[in-house]
Amino acid sequence: MNTVKQNGATAETIDTSLFFEQTETSRAAGLEYLERLARRKDNRAPLVRPESVQAQIKGAMAWGTKSSFDQLGEIKQPVLVANGDNDIMIPTINSYMVSQRIPNAQLIIYPDSGHGFLFQYADLFAEHVSMFLNRD
């Protein structure tokens, strides 16, 4: 296997435990994702900056209040809620609870995956999003 470098780290040194399960199949999918990412050279979106990560964490912490959770029932448009079956960053049970509070929500849980389910199941996730957006 070629060594994949991303921001100076190799695939072997990147801690993928937040995004992928520690199973052989999930870790292999994580490495495949890193290889796809490394191949794309042109028209690439910039990597997420640390300031953006901190802002997202701050927003997630503020959102977790009871009042914002209760407001989910006010959402009228269809919502696709997706997660890995063992997401330790955004616990999978939260996706279930969110989907139960939004009147027109569809929940999809991807097996053998964590927070990086959309990278692990990129083609399937894209198909599910397309089906969701193009439904009658």
Side-chain angles (χ1 to χ4, degrees):
M1 172 197 267
N2 294 335
T3 299
V4 178
K5 288 194 172 185
Q6 188 65 20
N7 285 346
T10 66
E12 292 80 16
T13 63
I14 293 174
D15 179 11
T16 57
S17 62
L18 286 176
F19 292 93
F20 303 99
E21 287 292 280
Q22 297 307 301
T23 64
E24 186 175 320
T25 53
S26 188
R27 288 191 59 78
L31 293 177
E32 288 173 15
Y33 160 68
L34 291 173
E35 289 172 355
R36 286 193 310 271
L37 194 60
R39 280 196 306 263
R40 186 161 183 189
K41 305 290 183 202
D42 298 324
N43 298 322
R44 219 178 124 170
L47 296 174
V48 178
R49 296 186 331 247
E51 305 85 45
S52 299
V53 173
Q54 291 304 314
Q56 184 178 9
I57 291 169
K58 184 178 178 183
M61 299 294 279
W63 184 87
T65 65
K66 184 174 177 15
S67 63
S68 58
F69 194 66
D70 292 339
Q71 291 175 333
L72 291 172
E74 298 172 19
I75 297 173
K76 302 300 179 212
Q77 67 269 21
V79 174
L80 178 63
V81 179
N83 205 342
D85 68 348
N86 190 30
D87 188 338
I88 59 176
M89 191 178 309
I90 307 289
T92 305
I93 190 67
N94 290 359
S95 295
Y96 176 78
M97 292 188 304
V98 163
S99 73
Q100 293 300 299
R101 286 186 165 64
I102 299 174
N104 199 11
Q106 178 182 347
L107 174 65
I108 302 175
I109 303 295
Y110 294 87
D112 190 33
S113 60
H115 197 68
F117 69 90
L118 63 160
F119 308 127
Q120 185 172 343
Y121 292 98
D123 292 338
L124 183 59
F125 181 66
E127 184 177 335
H128 285 154
V129 168
S130 180
M131 288 169 44
F132 179 80
L133 294 173
N134 293 314
R135 73 199 176 293
D136 290 330

mmCIF file of all heavy atoms in Angstrom, residues 8 20 33 55 57 72 84 87-89 93 101 106 112 114 116 121-122 135:
data_model
loop_
_atom_site.group_PDB
_atom_site.id
_atom_site.type_symbol
_atom_site.label_atom_id
_atom_site.label_comp_id
_atom_site.label_asym_id
_atom_site.label_seq_id
_atom_site.Cartn_x
_atom_site.Cartn_y
_atom_site.Cartn_z
ATOM 1 N N GLY A 8 0.796 16.331 6.277
ATOM 2 C CA GLY A 8 2.050 15.877 6.856
ATOM 3 C C GLY A 8 1.947 14.581 7.636
ATOM 4 O O GLY A 8 2.949 14.011 8.030
ATOM 5 N N PHE A 20 -14.072 6.255 12.312
ATOM 6 C CA PHE A 20 -14.254 4.887 11.845
ATOM 7 C C PHE A 20 -14.136 3.922 13.012
ATOM 8 O O PHE A 20 -13.444 4.192 13.991
ATOM 9 C CB PHE A 20 -13.204 4.542 10.774
ATOM 10 C CG PHE A 20 -13.249 5.490 9.609
ATOM 11 C CD1 PHE A 20 -12.358 6.542 9.520
ATOM 12 C CD2 PHE A 20 -14.197 5.348 8.619
ATOM 13 C CE1 PHE A 20 -12.404 7.448 8.471
ATOM 14 C CE2 PHE A 20 -14.255 6.240 7.552
ATOM 15 C CZ PHE A 20 -13.359 7.286 7.482
ATOM 16 N N TYR A 33 -10.741 6.332 2.106
ATOM 17 C CA TYR A 33 -11.169 7.734 2.096
ATOM 18 C C TYR A 33 -9.960 8.663 2.037
ATOM 19 O O TYR A 33 -9.916 9.606 1.244
ATOM 20 C CB TYR A 33 -12.021 8.041 3.329
ATOM 21 C CG TYR A 33 -12.100 9.511 3.632
ATOM 22 C CD1 TYR A 33 -12.786 10.374 2.780
ATOM 23 C CD2 TYR A 33 -11.467 10.045 4.739
ATOM 24 C CE1 TYR A 33 -12.844 11.737 3.049
ATOM 25 C CE2 TYR A 33 -11.524 11.399 5.015
ATOM 26 C CZ TYR A 33 -12.210 12.243 4.166
ATOM 27 O OH TYR A 33 -12.252 13.586 4.428
ATOM 28 N N ALA A 55 -15.526 26.812 16.636
ATOM 29 C CA ALA A 55 -16.832 27.460 16.492
ATOM 30 C C ALA A 55 -17.941 26.419 16.417
ATOM 31 O O ALA A 55 -19.021 26.609 16.995
ATOM 32 C CB ALA A 55 -16.839 28.357 15.257
ATOM 33 N N ILE A 57 -17.873 23.387 17.748
ATOM 34 C CA ILE A 57 -18.017 22.820 19.094
ATOM 35 C C ILE A 57 -18.820 23.765 19.980
ATOM 36 O O ILE A 57 -19.739 23.343 20.694
ATOM 37 C CB ILE A 57 -16.640 22.513 19.713
ATOM 38 C CG1 ILE A 57 -15.991 21.348 18.966
ATOM 39 C CG2 ILE A 57 -16.760 22.212 21.205
ATOM 40 C CD1 ILE A 57 -14.532 21.120 19.321
ATOM 41 N N LEU A 72 -37.352 21.339 17.750
ATOM 42 C CA LEU A 72 -37.251 20.475 16.576
ATOM 43 C C LEU A 72 -38.626 20.162 15.995
ATOM 44 O O LEU A 72 -38.769 20.019 14.781
ATOM 45 C CB LEU A 72 -36.518 19.176 16.923
ATOM 46 C CG LEU A 72 -35.035 19.308 17.223
ATOM 47 C CD1 LEU A 72 -34.477 17.985 17.733
ATOM 48 C CD2 LEU A 72 -34.272 19.780 16.004
ATOM 49 N N GLY A 84 -23.463 7.144 11.836
ATOM 50 C CA GLY A 84 -22.887 5.817 11.954
ATOM 51 C C GLY A 84 -23.476 5.124 13.168
ATOM 52 O O GLY A 84 -24.005 5.769 14.076
ATOM 53 N N ASP A 87 -21.209 6.343 16.661
ATOM 54 C CA ASP A 87 -20.581 7.663 16.583
ATOM 55 C C ASP A 87 -20.303 8.129 18.006
ATOM 56 O O ASP A 87 -21.225 8.361 18.779
ATOM 57 C CB ASP A 87 -21.510 8.633 15.862
ATOM 58 C CG ASP A 87 -20.867 9.976 15.562
ATOM 59 O OD1 ASP A 87 -19.885 10.344 16.241
ATOM 60 O OD2 ASP A 87 -21.350 10.660 14.652
ATOM 61 N N ILE A 88 -19.025 8.275 18.357
ATOM 62 C CA ILE A 88 -18.686 8.713 19.712
ATOM 63 C C ILE A 88 -18.566 10.229 19.806
ATOM 64 O O ILE A 88 -18.519 10.774 20.899
ATOM 65 C CB ILE A 88 -17.404 8.028 20.239
ATOM 66 C CG1 ILE A 88 -16.211 8.320 19.341
ATOM 67 C CG2 ILE A 88 -17.629 6.543 20.391
ATOM 68 C CD1 ILE A 88 -14.897 7.761 19.845
ATOM 69 N N MET A 89 -18.551 10.910 18.661
ATOM 70 C CA MET A 89 -18.494 12.373 18.674
ATOM 71 C C MET A 89 -19.902 12.958 18.839
ATOM 72 O O MET A 89 -20.124 13.840 19.666
ATOM 73 C CB MET A 89 -17.849 12.907 17.395
ATOM 74 C CG MET A 89 -17.525 14.390 17.482
ATOM 75 S SD MET A 89 -16.706 15.059 16.016
ATOM 76 C CE MET A 89 -15.359 13.941 15.737
ATOM 77 N N ILE A 93 -27.494 7.709 19.422
ATOM 78 C CA ILE A 93 -28.812 7.822 20.046
ATOM 79 C C ILE A 93 -29.386 9.219 19.863
ATOM 80 O O ILE A 93 -30.604 9.394 19.759
ATOM 81 C CB ILE A 93 -28.770 7.414 21.543
ATOM 82 C CG1 ILE A 93 -30.182 7.298 22.121
ATOM 83 C CG2 ILE A 93 -27.938 8.387 22.356
ATOM 84 C CD1 ILE A 93 -30.989 6.171 21.546
ATOM 85 N N ARG A 101 -38.302 13.681 16.980
ATOM 86 C CA ARG A 101 -38.912 14.978 17.315
ATOM 87 C C ARG A 101 -39.243 15.829 16.082
ATOM 88 O O ARG A 101 -39.977 16.792 16.186
ATOM 89 C CB ARG A 101 -37.991 15.744 18.249
ATOM 90 C CG ARG A 101 -38.026 15.151 19.649
ATOM 91 C CD ARG A 101 -37.240 15.975 20.622
ATOM 92 N NE ARG A 101 -37.510 15.680 22.004
ATOM 93 C CZ ARG A 101 -37.269 14.549 22.636
ATOM 94 N NH1 ARG A 101 -36.785 13.535 21.979
ATOM 95 N NH2 ARG A 101 -37.523 14.405 23.919
ATOM 96 N N GLN A 106 -36.484 11.392 8.226
ATOM 97 C CA GLN A 106 -36.090 10.042 7.830
ATOM 98 C C GLN A 106 -34.731 9.776 8.435
ATOM 99 O O GLN A 106 -33.804 10.580 8.278
ATOM 100 C CB GLN A 106 -36.020 9.922 6.310
ATOM 101 C CG GLN A 106 -35.576 8.554 5.852
ATOM 102 C CD GLN A 106 -35.471 8.459 4.338
ATOM 103 O OE1 GLN A 106 -35.938 9.316 3.600
ATOM 104 N NE2 GLN A 106 -34.834 7.398 3.877
ATOM 105 N N ASP A 112 -21.254 -0.518 11.181
ATOM 106 C CA ASP A 112 -19.794 -0.624 11.303
ATOM 107 C C ASP A 112 -19.106 0.701 11.014
ATOM 108 O O ASP A 112 -18.117 0.775 10.301
ATOM 109 C CB ASP A 112 -19.269 -1.722 10.359
ATOM 110 C CG ASP A 112 -17.801 -2.049 10.599
ATOM 111 O OD1 ASP A 112 -17.347 -1.964 11.757
ATOM 112 O OD2 ASP A 112 -17.099 -2.375 9.622
ATOM 113 N N GLY A 114 -18.535 5.120 12.407
ATOM 114 C CA GLY A 114 -18.637 6.168 13.409
ATOM 115 C C GLY A 114 -19.026 7.473 12.751
ATOM 116 O O GLY A 114 -19.845 7.508 11.826
ATOM 117 N N GLY A 116 -17.552 9.246 10.670
ATOM 118 C CA GLY A 116 -17.178 9.342 9.262
ATOM 119 C C GLY A 116 -17.977 8.435 8.350
ATOM 120 O O GLY A 116 -17.511 8.074 7.267
ATOM 121 N N TYR A 121 -19.123 5.279 3.563
ATOM 122 C CA TYR A 121 -20.177 4.857 2.647
ATOM 123 C C TYR A 121 -20.492 5.978 1.660
ATOM 124 O O TYR A 121 -21.662 6.302 1.423
ATOM 125 C CB TYR A 121 -21.442 4.494 3.438
ATOM 126 C CG TYR A 121 -21.295 3.264 4.285
ATOM 127 C CD1 TYR A 121 -21.008 3.366 5.649
ATOM 128 C CD2 TYR A 121 -21.425 1.998 3.738
ATOM 129 C CE1 TYR A 121 -20.871 2.233 6.442
ATOM 130 C CE2 TYR A 121 -21.290 0.859 4.517
ATOM 131 C CZ TYR A 121 -21.017 0.991 5.869
ATOM 132 O OH TYR A 121 -20.882 -0.133 6.639
ATOM 133 N N ALA A 122 -19.467 6.572 1.084
ATOM 134 C CA ALA A 122 -19.644 7.762 0.244
ATOM 135 C C ALA A 122 -20.647 7.540 -0.885
ATOM 136 O O ALA A 122 -21.559 8.357 -1.072
ATOM 137 C CB ALA A 122 -18.296 8.207 -0.317
ATOM 138 N N ARG A 135 -37.404 12.620 -4.005
ATOM 139 C CA ARG A 135 -38.647 11.893 -3.715
ATOM 140 C C ARG A 135 -39.851 12.747 -4.118
ATOM 141 O O ARG A 135 -39.762 13.940 -4.267
ATOM 142 C CB ARG A 135 -38.712 11.512 -2.230
ATOM 143 C CG ARG A 135 -38.989 12.698 -1.357
ATOM 144 C CD ARG A 135 -38.625 12.482 0.082
ATOM 145 N NE ARG A 135 -38.825 13.699 0.821
ATOM 146 C CZ ARG A 135 -38.135 14.837 0.679
ATOM 147 N NH1 ARG A 135 -37.162 14.880 -0.199
ATOM 148 N NH2 ARG A 135 -38.383 15.895 1.385
#
